[in-house]
Amino acid sequence: MSVGRRHTIALVNQHSGVGKTTSAIGLAQVLARVWRQRVLLVDADPLSSLTERLDVATAARPLLDDCMLGRATAHQCLVAVGDGIDLLPCSAGLVGFELEAINRDNRALVLRQVLEPLVQDYDHIVIDTPASLGQLTVNALAAADELIIPLRCDYFASEGMAELLSFVTKIRAGINPALNLCTLLATHVIDGSRYAQRNMAEIRKVYGPLVADAVISEGGDMMKCYELLVEELKSKRSHKHR
Ligand SMILES: Nc1ncnc2c1ncn2[C@@H]1O[C@H](COP(=O)(O)OP(=O)(O)OP(=O)(O)O)[C@@H](O)[C@H]1O
Ligand SMILES: [Mg+2]
């Protein structure tokens, strides 16, 4: 059975601490361990939490920072991080791209071009992004065909959501019409918390079909939650292509 091939998923939210990096890792692990997929994780956040959490040292190694400035190829930067998952790591030096990009034509398409030679090598590419809607997030959305927006349910989850969705609409209308699947993913869901329940109900009321049935519970079996999410993505894809 297949979970669908060759998808590039960007994890995006301009708020910090919502679970972008955690979800990138969780999705990659489920895709690789349960579905036996070849997965590439891309750290496109200069905070480099993904690179750190996977324990990859960045000294004296070519990084995404270099690829984005045309100083290395993506192939040169790959690091195997277990379970058949590769990482394209980065460091704080990735902010150099944000600065340099100001004067570049086609600056939104640099990450897509960097990843292009790798697309055939992986079933899924999963991109972690910074807590901003800056040039790196634009690049991630330009390279992706799917988008997951993690939302923290232990505080006012939908704050800034209208702006984020209108940003996505603009990307789709302009640089990436192939960005075709958008999923809101509730994270930090505290089982039994009335506040979390109220937030969930509100999100479902406003964003209905965009919201995944799967939620990422706090303290529960997170991997099981990501397994349910992958099942759901698979089903959404098959409905889209019917
Ligand atoms: N579903 C969840 N339930 C509980 N804790 C979570 C959940 N998802 C993530 N966390 C915890 O919340 C913290 C922030 O998560 P994470 O680093 O994934 O957020 P982020 O959106 O990537 O933040 P940033 O924008 O700062 O990179 C981490 O300590 C992580 O372990
Ligand atoms: Mg992060």
Side-chain angles (χ1 to χ4, degrees):
M1 197 168 27
S2 154
V3 72
R5 298 181 87 76
R6 305 217 197 291
H7 290 287
T8 299
I9 305 173
L11 278 298
V12 174
N13 190 321
Q14 70 271 42
H15 292 297
S16 178
V18 295
K20 295 181 290 293
T21 304
T22 306
S23 299
I25 296 172
L27 276 172
Q29 288 180 340
V30 166
L31 288 165
R33 287 181 192 165
V34 179
W35 294 94
R36 302 277 167 222
Q37 297 252 302
R38 295 164 302 167
V39 182
L40 172 65
L41 274 169
V42 178
D43 193 351
D45 178 1
L47 270 185
S48 57
S49 352
L50 181 59
T51 303
E52 278 174 29
R53 278 165 68 174
L54 295 171
D55 218 11
V56 171
T58 53
R61 172 197 296 284
L63 300 165
L64 180 63
D65 322 15
D66 302 298
C67 301
M68 297 298 281
L69 295 172
R71 300 189 299 231
T73 66
H75 270 117
Q76 293 170 325
C77 303
L78 297 179
V79 185
V81 291
D83 293 321
I85 302 170
D86 288 341
L87 172 71
L88 185 45
C90 80
S91 75
L94 187 56
V95 285
F97 169 73
E98 297 253 24
L99 301 175
E100 205 254 6
I102 293 168
N103 297 317
R104 254 210 225 183
D105 289 337
N106 280 336
R107 55 188 170 268
L109 304 178
V110 179
L111 183 60
R112 190 198 287 182
Q113 284 155 5
V114 165
L115 297 178
E116 188 58 39
L118 298 178
V119 166
Q120 293 305 313
D121 298 341
Y122 296 96
D123 302 306
H124 275 81
I125 297 178
V126 180
I127 310 173
D128 189 22
T129 69
S132 83
L133 301 182
Q135 206 45 248
L136 285 161
T137 302
V138 170
N139 267 261
L141 289 172
D145 62 323
E146 297 186 0
L147 156 74
I148 294 177
I149 302 175
L151 295 170
R152 268 188 87 132
C153 276
D154 60 349
Y155 67 68
F156 189 54
S158 41
E159 199 176 86
M161 190 50 49
E163 290 79 3
L164 176 49
L165 290 176
S166 116
F167 176 78
V168 171
T169 302
K170 282 188 188 134
I171 301 264
R172 209 180 258 141
I175 53 180
N176 189 7
L179 184 60
N180 66 50
L181 198 65
C182 176
T183 303
L184 307 196
L185 173 67
T187 63
H188 293 73
V189 176
I190 304 165
D191 291 334
S193 149
R194 280 225 214 117
Y195 186 60
Q197 304 288 329
R198 220 173 36 229
N199 270 340
M200 275 307 306
E202 182 65 25
I203 292 165
R204 288 200 194 282
K205 194 166 103 196
V206 180
Y207 299 107
L210 290 182
V211 187
D213 291 333
V215 301
I216 313 301
S217 307
E218 197 162 312
D221 180 351
M222 259 197 213
M223 278 307 122
K224 193 75 218 160
C225 299
Y226 287 110
E227 276 183 40
L228 294 173
L229 175 65
V230 169
E231 292 279 358
E232 214 175 320
L233 289 178
K234 182 177 163 249
S235 147
K236 277 175 135 186
R237 285 168 188 166
S238 68
H239 277 95
K240 277 248 165 203
H241 295 114
R242 229 171 248 172

